[in-house]
Amino acid sequence: MSKFMSKRHDELDAYVPGEQPQDKKYVKLNTNESPFPPSPFAQRLARQAAGTIELYCDPESGALVRIAAEKFGVAEDEIIFTNGSDEVLDFAFAAFCDDKTPAVFPDITYGFYPVFATRNGVPYREIPLKEDLTVNVEDYFGVKGTVFIANPNAPTGIALPAAEIEKIVKANPDNVVVVDEAYVDFGGESVLPLIKKYDNLLVTETFSKSRSLAGGRLGMGFANKALIADIKKIKYSFNPYNVNSMTAAAGIGALLDEEYFKANVATIIKTRENTVFALEKLGFTTLPSKANFIFAKHAKMSGKCVYSALKDKGVLVRYFDKDRLRDYVRITVGSAEDMRVLAETLADIIGEQK
Ligand code: PMP
């Protein structure tokens, strides 16, 4: 750090994203990307949009908003698009938390939440997950803070039913509840329709997983128009042009190509179930995942050991050096072929241990 860095950031422990190695080709199962390329229609629209990037993009992403409003059954002023869902989450910390209104989230969840809180200079409180790594919804009743809840949760993949999330929203009428649905398309239940019923609910979703646009950076937030206006106030104080023209065009293609989206999601769910079966045969225990990843642990090897052995053999997964998580690795559900390589490599590693 240079001597010029503001002391404001002394406490900031920057988020460490999953590796994006450039040294060699790995079977890459570490950042929950889709194994499928973007929809061909999305690619075509993005290429077309590339021809006009001498102009600033539409700061409201109007065309995308109109299509999304129709698709998701909400009004146009109940949506905001952002540069990945990380950005709408960050805006929510900025908009809805302060010294008197801390952020509240589980102790095991998306690792960016504490970073967003610290960078925005707002306090946060972590509520421990239960022994079985599930959320106890009652712990979030009347917490006097802005609740952030990932559903399905990360990195466990465990989902709560929509009715359970609704209880949290209902029990915090004076605070915003942010439901991060980055992985909801893989078997979770969305609470998006509830934005019509509750004025304190913000739902965030991403195009990075089920819609194959991780590198395009496109996220969305849904809430009643007053909350969306609050978030826009933050956006317009930071970067009006946060969604570039090519990404917005790709987003339109991804939304309109519903068939491609549905087929990919169905394939990933099927591959996930097959992989769980293969992992269990190899002596792993897995948590019940409704996401595009599997959180798995082996009786005889730590998470770090599984991660390192796999990396040596060209397969990249993720492990977390944190209490209660150290035994596990998080494995993204890739293509059926990726998962065949994973299972074979794990079988080799287990064989070498004996
Ligand atoms: N929420 C959760 C739970 C995530 O795991 C991720 C992906 N790292 C995100 C949000 C953000 O994804 P993106 O910014 O690519 O939309």
Side-chain angles (χ1 to χ4, degrees), residues 28-85:
K28 201 171 166 305
L29 307 175
N30 68 330
T31 48
N32 302 339
E33 290 143 325
S34 172
F36 305 109
S39 135
F41 184 46
Q43 293 186 45
R44 198 165 79 232
L45 294 187
R47 269 198 302 274
Q48 266 172 22
T52 56
I53 55 171
E54 76 281 13
L55 303 174
Y56 282 112
C57 51
D58 171 7
E60 288 288 309
S61 306
L64 180 55
V65 165
R66 280 189 286 283
I67 286 162
E70 198 181 318
K71 182 143 285 271
F72 294 102
V74 299
E76 289 176 23
D77 54 9
E78 292 171 332
I79 308 180
I80 182 166
F81 279 94
T82 51
N83 192 303
S85 58

Side-chain angles (χ1 to χ4, degrees), residues 15 31-32 83-87 89 109-110 112-113 150-154 180-183 204-209 213-214 217-220 293 318 330:
Y15 179 69
T31 48
N32 302 339
N83 192 303
S85 58
D86 278 340
E87 193 179 58
L89 288 164
T109 189
Y110 185 28
F112 224 139
Y113 297 163
N151 192 43
N153 198 10
D180 173 352
E181 296 190 347
Y183 300 103
T204 67
E205 302 206 356
T206 182
F207 283 60
S208 298
K209 320 292 175 186
L213 288 182
R217 312 303 300 126
L218 189 60
M220 353 177 222
F293 56 82
R318 192 140 191 213
R330 191 196 68 190

Side-chain angles (χ1 to χ4, degrees), residues 252-324:
I252 291 174
L255 280 183
L256 291 178
D257 199 345
E258 185 75 19
E259 224 173 279
Y260 186 80
F261 160 77
K262 280 194 177 144
N264 288 348
V265 165
T267 304
I268 288 169
I269 292 174
K270 185 156 163 261
T271 309
R272 178 182 72 207
E273 301 317 319
N274 292 341
T275 308
V276 165
F277 184 70
L279 287 169
E280 289 182 349
K281 265 194 5 205
L282 289 165
F284 283 87
T285 333
T286 62
L287 298 185
S289 172
K290 295 279 189 209
N292 67 337
F293 56 82
I294 301 162
F295 210 43
K297 69 174 174 184
H298 196 269
K300 300 206 173 88
M301 280 181 283
S302 68
K304 187 172 185 181
C305 173
V306 175
Y307 158 82
S308 305
L310 279 172
K311 188 172 179 188
D312 283 349
K313 292 178 188 293
V315 180
L316 217 48
V317 296
R318 192 140 191 213
Y319 91 98
F320 300 88
D321 191 14
K322 187 174 172 174
D323 280 354
R324 300 210 278 167

Side-chain angles (χ1 to χ4, degrees), residues 170-192:
K170 204 171 177 174
N172 289 283
D174 297 323
N175 286 108
V176 175
V177 175
V178 181
V179 184
D180 173 352
E181 296 190 347
Y183 300 103
V184 78
D185 294 330
F186 303 104
E189 251 186 296
S190 178
V191 290
L192 203 162

